[in-house]
Amino acid sequence: MGTIMAVQSWQKSSFSGDTANCIYLAAASDGSIKLRESDDPDIVITTSLDGLRTFLLGVKAGEFDHLTR
């Protein structure tokens, strides 16, 4: 069985408002960042702060725009 890391409180963007399609972020006790989607909160993705930063910079630069067409 895997080790369960303590997760601080889940936070969502204030831009999400009351919509159902939200991404939540949380910092774990091991320093990792946890992400989950409101539609399926049992699936949690784990990354590092640098990994999240790189992903967000890619999104802002349009590197994933071709996936929405």
Side-chain angles (χ1 to χ4, degrees), residues 5-41:
M5 297 289 165
V7 172
Q8 302 300 319
S9 62
W10 289 98
Q11 298 180 11
K12 73 173 183 171
S13 170
S14 59
F15 291 105
S16 296
D18 292 331
T19 62
N21 298 326
C22 303
I23 299 292
Y24 289 83
L25 298 172
S29 60
D30 65 352
S32 65
I33 304 296
K34 308 291 184 181
L35 295 95
R36 71 179 186 187
E37 186 179 356
S38 59
D39 291 345
D40 200 348

Side-chain angles (χ1 to χ4, degrees), residues 33-68:
I33 304 296
K34 308 291 184 181
L35 295 95
R36 71 179 186 187
E37 186 179 356
S38 59
D39 291 345
D40 200 348
D42 292 334
I43 296 176
V44 177
I45 298 171
T46 302
T47 189
S48 65
L49 185 56
D50 286 339
L52 179 60
R53 182 181 296 114
T54 300
F55 174 71
L56 292 175
L57 288 172
V59 169
K60 289 180 179 182
E63 293 179 20
F64 305 100
D65 288 355
H66 66 282
L67 298 174
T68 62

